[in-house]
C-alpha cells in the first residue's frame, strides 16, 4: 500500500493517515478521477451503441 500511495499521490501512507488535509485532498482527487472515468465509460458506451 505504501508504494501505491507514493506512486499515485506522492505521499506515504502514514502521512495520509495522520494528516486530515492531505487525506481530504487525496480523496477529492480520487473522486474526481472516478467521475472522469465514469463519464469516459458512458461516452464510449453510447458511441458503441449508436454504431449498431
Amino acid at each position: 500500500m505504501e508504494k501505491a500511495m507514493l506512486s499515485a499521490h506522492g505521499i506515504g501512507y502514514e502521512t495520509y493517515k495522520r494528516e486530515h488535509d492531505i487525506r481530504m485532498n487525496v480523496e477529492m482527487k480520487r473522486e474526481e478521477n472516478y467521475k472522469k472515468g465514469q463519464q469516459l465509460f458512458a461516452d464510449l458506451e453510447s458511441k458503441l451503441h449508436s454504431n449498431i
Side-chain angles (χ1 to χ4, degrees):
M1 184 176 258
E2 183 73 18
K3 284 185 179 181
M5 286 296 290
L6 281 171
S7 67
H9 304 290
I11 60 164
Y13 185 70
E14 286 300 317
T15 304
Y16 171 82
K17 285 188 344 184
R18 277 193 321 265
E19 302 289 334
H20 179 73
D21 292 340
I22 291 173
R23 189 167 53 247
M24 290 297 102
N25 286 336
V26 167
E27 294 305 321
M28 284 191 292
K29 287 178 187 176
R30 283 183 177 167
E31 185 173 349
E32 185 179 308
N33 287 336
Y34 174 79
K35 287 179 182 179
K36 285 180 183 178
Q38 291 296 309
Q39 185 62 47
L40 177 62
F41 178 77
D43 291 346
L44 290 173
E45 190 174 50
S46 69
K47 287 180 183 179
L48 176 66
H49 292 296
S50 68
N51 290 333
I52 294 178

